[in-house]
Amino acid sequence: MKTQATEMALQEILSQVEKAGQKQVEDIRKATNSEVESRLSEAREKGKAIAEEIANETKRQIEQLEQQEIQAAELEVKRNRLETQRRALEETRQKVYTKLGKLGKSDLEKVYKKLVSDLPKDGTLHCRKEDAALVGKLTSTKMGTSISEPGFIVETKDYRLDFRFSTLVEKVWQDNLSVVSGDLFGK
């Protein structure tokens, strides 16, 4: 009986040790699960923060790129507009030159009459061959060699006066470029 009592006592001890072990295992499992859940929660929060930071940085970079693209597009539009305006101004100037080159005799006489009204008498006048007779009848200034453009040049020993239409148009053009530009482009 002693062995049976010892066996029972041993079984009782084993049962208590097993219960204590199971409780420890359960406590360790609960602590491990709690630790795992805590770390997972912390990792999720950290992941959210990183994702939000990446999203904000990406949004900022996208906005910056969009702004750069908008500025580049605006600059390109301005360049194109300025080039178009430059071409329109140049075409307008060329039309003026063309019209002046095609003036009839009566219109040329009016222009030359106005231009020679204040010429010095002691100079030499140079004009196109086809205009020499017309200019000669409007002024007593000595006639010199011919030039290829409409208008004339007067030279004295002290100075040279350039009344070629291209020179006069260029001077008026430069003096009134802002007005011409405003009329053409509404500025």
Side-chain angles (χ1 to χ4, degrees), residues 39-152:
R39 287 191 181 182
L40 280 174
S41 178
E42 190 178 299
R44 282 187 200 108
E45 289 301 315
K46 202 173 195 178
K48 267 185 184 178
I50 290 171
E52 191 174 310
E53 187 178 317
I54 290 171
N56 288 338
E57 178 62 19
T58 302
K59 182 179 177 183
R60 186 193 66 73
Q61 288 177 353
I62 289 170
E63 288 171 354
Q64 184 178 7
L65 286 172
E66 285 175 345
Q67 189 62 31
Q68 288 173 346
E69 287 298 316
I70 288 169
Q71 289 172 348
E74 287 173 347
L75 184 60
E76 186 63 26
V77 166
K78 283 180 185 177
R79 281 188 194 133
N80 288 339
R81 186 177 66 235
L82 288 173
E83 178 59 23
T84 301
Q85 288 176 347
R86 186 199 61 75
R87 273 187 266 135
L89 287 169
E90 187 56 35
E91 287 172 13
T92 303
R93 183 167 44 184
Q94 290 306 318
K95 286 177 184 176
V96 169
Y97 285 139
T98 301
K99 283 185 178 185
L100 285 172
K102 294 179 179 179
L103 285 179
K105 283 234 185 246
S106 66
D107 289 329
L108 265 177
E109 185 173 353
K110 289 176 190 173
V111 172
Y112 283 146
K113 192 175 201 175
K114 179 74 175 155
L115 290 175
V116 299
S117 63
D118 293 326
L119 287 181
K121 304 297 182 218
D122 61 339
T124 304
L125 188 139
H126 307 277
C127 67
R128 293 189 303 183
K129 279 184 185 179
E130 59 264 37
D131 297 338
L134 176 62
V135 175
K137 86 176 188 184
L138 298 173
T139 183
S140 60
T141 305
K142 178 179 135 192
M143 299 301 279
T145 58
S146 64
I147 59 173
S148 60
E149 299 179 54
F152 56 87

Side-chain angles (χ1 to χ4, degrees), residues 145-164:
T145 58
S146 64
I147 59 173
S148 60
E149 299 179 54
F152 56 87
I153 297 172
V154 176
E155 293 180 317
T156 69
K157 62 179 183 155
D158 297 324
Y159 55 87
R160 180 177 195 250
L161 301 174
D162 189 345
F163 289 100
R164 290 176 298 164

